[in-house]
Amino acid sequence: MTGSSRASADTPEGPGLADHDADMTDSPAPDSPVPDSPVPGELAPDDPAADDPDTYASGGWSEADDDRTTETLAWLRTKRKAHRRRQGRDLAVLLYSVLLAVVGYGSGLAVHFLRGLDEGTDYGGFGAGLTRGLPALFTALSLLLFLVSARDALWRGPVVLPGPAVGWLLAQPVRRAAVLRPWFRLSAGLALIPGVLGGVAGAVALRVTGQASIGEALPAALPAAVCLPLLAVAFGMAVERRPDRARTVRRWTAPAVLLLAALGAQTGLAGSGHRVRPLEWVELWSGPWGWAAQPVVRACGGSVPGWPAALALLLAATAAAVVLAHREAAAVPTGQLRARAATATTVASVAWSLELRAAKLALLEAGGGDATRMVRLPPPRGRWARHLAVVWRDALTLLRAPGRVGRAVLWTAAAATAAGLGADLGGERRPVGLVVGLVCGYLAVGALAESARVETDDLRRAAWSPYRLRGLMLQHGIVPAVVGAVLGLLAAVPFALHGAPIALLYLPLCAFPFTAAALYGACRGPARTQLMFLGGGSPIGSPGPLIYLAWYAAGPLVAVTVLALTLSHGAPATVLTVTVLLTAAIAYAASAAANKLLR
């Protein structure tokens, strides 16, 4: 590098700008051909070295002659000093607010819990069931961690730089490893915080239930609390480093969710005494999930003769995965970093403005969206063809996006399970199970009503339709209502076989008010953040957030509340009447909201 370019480190503009001025003096004439060249720090797409991590680490320049990492990062730290101080103050205020909320609202629950222990409340039965389900529980938690990390890596990942850093810093003659690897270490460190807290909570739960002393439970839970989050971060790094693995993650997400549901069912069955010993043995030795569970099983009195070997395997696998991921963190393509920085900025901005729908759309676009398949459905013909066009389009959309139907089926199964558990436990747990089941039922129907939301994301989409928007939105509710009723009927079959045939009427009926509530949510319009600041102060805080929540979730709140009260105390004729009136009222509110969208 020339002497003038080296002196650029002392210029007020910062490193790299004087180099740019020096290069401009040697640029070819406008009429001379300029060869195609990649952006500094990047490689041409057809360059055979583009996939070489060492090439990405050097950035295409000579480290011995052109390395400006120390000067660039020192200049950047100086420029960011005031910004970091402001960030520290904001973080301190946030942590203080969280601590105040935890102390204010959680102290009462803690006092009640400790008083129950002092009065001799017996949690031993729950602890025994928890101990029996440990192999399946650890496997399910590990699978959930890996799945969340892989899906996160589709749009963000362990290494995500701010947009200015990607656009400016990586274009300088700096080592990529010095820029990217600190972000990986930060992600790994942040992942340890909830992991360690979860391990401490698990050890306390084992102590409270009488399954192990705190001196045995805490050392047994810490390896899992440390190793499993680090393995999940390393797995996410592998997905982020190689963009071609994104399709594999999307393809295997649905089977992973089904496996997660199966592990949840196995955990529940094992807790109730129905254990499958060979399957538990496979889970304990098939991977890090089982290796992490073995010390905890031993601390609870279980028989795991080879637990020291399992612990050694867990530590070795974690160390190898973290070292490999740390090495690959320096080789993430710049195009990936740019796209992730843009997505992260979009999600953060719309999340702060409470536009959750926009955040979801940004995540879906970055993650590739739902998997689709080519399916043909004969179009309607005849005199009624025009009236069935919307229904035909919605049905074709569901057939081509089977993931939505799969989510609806899973939420329906969760709803039936929650309602069934509440009914079996009885007492005060019965209405809790009913409410949880109704909420899951709404989520199931909501997964089928995506076409209505897409219609209101951009009102210009409705230009093709000869109907007014309110009529079009009501037609979008036909397919979700019918499919939701069919799923509810299937979910009611086990209840009917166990002596509750009235469920064959109740469960399908719930699909209709839930569909109307989903349509109302689609027509809700932009977020009214001014509602957050309504109302005066009180000893428990401002009612503004509650007012906003009541507006944002008005449809499902009304539907779930009315249905829960009616199903708890109403006769079949009353339930049928209330359901019809509730559906009509929410559908009318949805059509009125659709008219307001146009105005």
Side-chain angles (χ1 to χ4, degrees), residues 188 191-192 195-196 199 221-231 314-315 318:
L192 288 177
V196 172
L222 281 182
V226 172
C227 294
L228 291 180
L230 292 179
L231 285 171
L314 176 64
L315 296 177
T318 303

Side-chain angles (χ1 to χ4, degrees), residues 488-489 492 500-510 567 571-573 575-576 579:
L489 185 62
I502 195 61
L504 295 173
L505 172 65
Y506 287 170
L507 269 65
L509 274 180
C510 294
L567 293 174
V575 171
L576 179 61
T579 302

Side-chain angles (χ1 to χ4, degrees), residues 538-556:
S538 66
I540 61 173
S542 172
L546 296 178
I547 296 174
Y548 176 81
L549 179 62
W551 169 83
Y552 188 86

Side-chain angles (χ1 to χ4, degrees), residues 398-413:
L398 279 184
L399 291 176
R400 290 186 174 180
R404 298 175 187 173
V405 181
R407 286 193 292 271
V409 171
L410 289 178
W411 282 119
T412 303

Side-chain angles (χ1 to χ4, degrees), residues 226-304:
V226 172
C227 294
L228 291 180
L230 292 179
L231 285 171
V233 172
F235 186 67
M237 188 70 252
V239 176
E240 182 183 5
R241 165 67 180 88
R242 293 172 174 80
D244 58 313
R245 294 183 178 177
R247 182 178 298 178
T248 303
V249 171
R250 289 193 292 268
R251 182 185 303 120
W252 286 97
T253 295
V257 172
L258 293 177
L259 180 58
L260 193 62
L263 289 171
Q266 182 193 350
T267 303
L269 291 174
S272 62
H274 304 282
R275 306 178 65 177
V276 184
R277 299 283 184 173
L279 183 57
E280 292 181 359
W281 186 88
V282 171
E283 291 168 348
L284 289 176
W285 287 103
S286 58
W289 40 87
W291 303 338
Q294 291 194 29
V296 182
V297 173
R298 173 185 171 274
C300 295
S303 176
V304 279

